Amino acid sequence: MADPMPDIKSVARKALDWPARILFPPVCAGCRRHVSQPGVLCGACWPKLRLLERPWCPVMGTPFTHHMGEGFLSAEAIADPPPFKRARAAVAYSGVARQMVQGLKYQDRTDLAPWMARWMLRAGAELIAEADVVVPVPLHWRRFFRRQFNQSAELARAVSQLGGLPFAPSAVRRVKLTRQQVGLERREREENVLAAFRVPEEAEIEIAGRRVLLIDDVYTTGATVRAVAKALKKGGAGTVDVLTFARVLPGDFRADESATI
């Protein structure tokens, strides 16, 4: 005879959820219309989300229009090889994805981080399977003090929990208070983050010889994650992979876009 307890427990859990659902009904992660369950998009927002799918450049993760053959690299990967091994992103930085990033970053929508991280796990499955530790792109302490949270750390914490990986939020430090990247051209972004990051001596043991998964919210030109990856490798990391929620695709970059700081 089947054990009735699992059904009873399930009914009890649902009953306990009702007050919370009445007081805090789930809303669309994009437009905040009411939806059936937390973390989903409504019918109007879902078509506006572009998931990044294979085929893509095995290094940069930028999608190709059609399969180019095993090991085929994008022009960007060939012309300017990155200091990281691979980069992946869950969605294109447009439409509802932009709204979600800006909600997390500027409107304190930290509730979005676990749901955004689920899409990141899908896009970065091969990276997560090989990673030893998860590290977020850090904020300078002054900016963190003003904002009270780091959107990249919120995503990284969720990725580490969902992926069952150690989380090392202090493995790399931003030692230079840089200008915001928004409004800067590509070369200016690179100069802005030059020597801006360092692995403190006490944190070297966390990354020494390990495969680091570096997390950020948006990959724009790659200037920030390149600078952090260089600092991690200088600090002893074995390899560095990059996983972001969104990606500004080649040809879409505009200096006035809201992007990574």
Side-chain angles (χ1 to χ4, degrees), residues 27-237:
V27 295
C28 171
C31 68
R32 309 203 68 172
R33 291 189 182 95
H34 288 176
V35 290
S36 60
Q37 56 185 331
V40 301
L41 296 175
C42 68
C45 285
W46 178 251
K48 300 175 184 177
L49 187 75
R50 180 185 173 185
L51 297 174
L52 298 184
E53 307 274 3
R54 287 184 174 84
W56 53 37
C57 171
V59 173
M60 304 305 300
T62 46
F64 295 135
T65 54
H66 58 276
H67 185 59
M68 307 293 286
E70 192 67 29
F72 187 90
L73 299 180
S74 63
E76 181 184 7
I78 296 171
D80 189 15
F84 50 79
K85 184 180 177 182
R86 296 166 295 186
R88 297 289 184 270
V91 298
Y93 186 62
S94 61
V96 69
R98 183 188 286 111
Q99 295 170 22
M100 293 175 71
V101 168
Q102 293 181 349
L104 171 64
K105 194 169 188 173
Y106 301 121
Q107 299 165 23
D108 297 338
R109 291 290 311 279
T110 53
D111 59 293
L112 292 175
W115 308 105
M116 295 164 73
R118 291 179 188 276
W119 285 330
M120 293 168 69
L121 257 69
R122 175 182 176 274
E126 59 184 323
L127 279 57
I128 291 166
E130 298 177 14
D132 295 318
V133 61
V134 176
V135 174
V137 169
L139 285 179
H140 189 272
W141 69 267
R142 290 184 182 175
R143 189 162 286 143
F144 182 85
F145 183 78
R146 289 198 301 270
R147 189 180 294 178
Q148 298 297 307
F149 77 98
N150 175 5
Q151 75 279 355
S152 299
E154 295 299 319
L155 291 171
R157 182 180 293 107
V159 167
S160 72
Q161 291 173 347
L162 293 169
L165 293 168
F167 177 45
S170 302
V172 63
R173 190 174 295 162
R174 191 182 291 249
V175 295
K176 183 172 76 171
L177 182 59
T178 56
R179 297 164 57 193
Q180 291 198 5
Q181 297 280 61
V182 179
L184 301 183
E185 298 293 341
R186 290 176 184 268
R187 183 58 60 185
E188 292 175 315
R189 287 169 178 254
E190 293 172 3
E191 294 173 354
N192 189 41
V193 294
L194 185 65
F197 304 96
R198 180 174 59 83
V199 175
E201 288 185 15
E202 64 272 18
E204 290 179 358
I205 192 171
E206 294 185 280
I207 64 166
R210 295 187 171 182
R211 295 167 293 190
V212 175
L213 182 61
L214 179 62
I215 303 292
D216 206 0
D217 54 352
V218 183
Y219 187 112
T220 308
T221 64
T224 299
V225 293
R226 282 172 179 263
V228 180
K230 288 178 181 177
L232 285 166
K233 293 181 77 173
K234 185 176 180 180

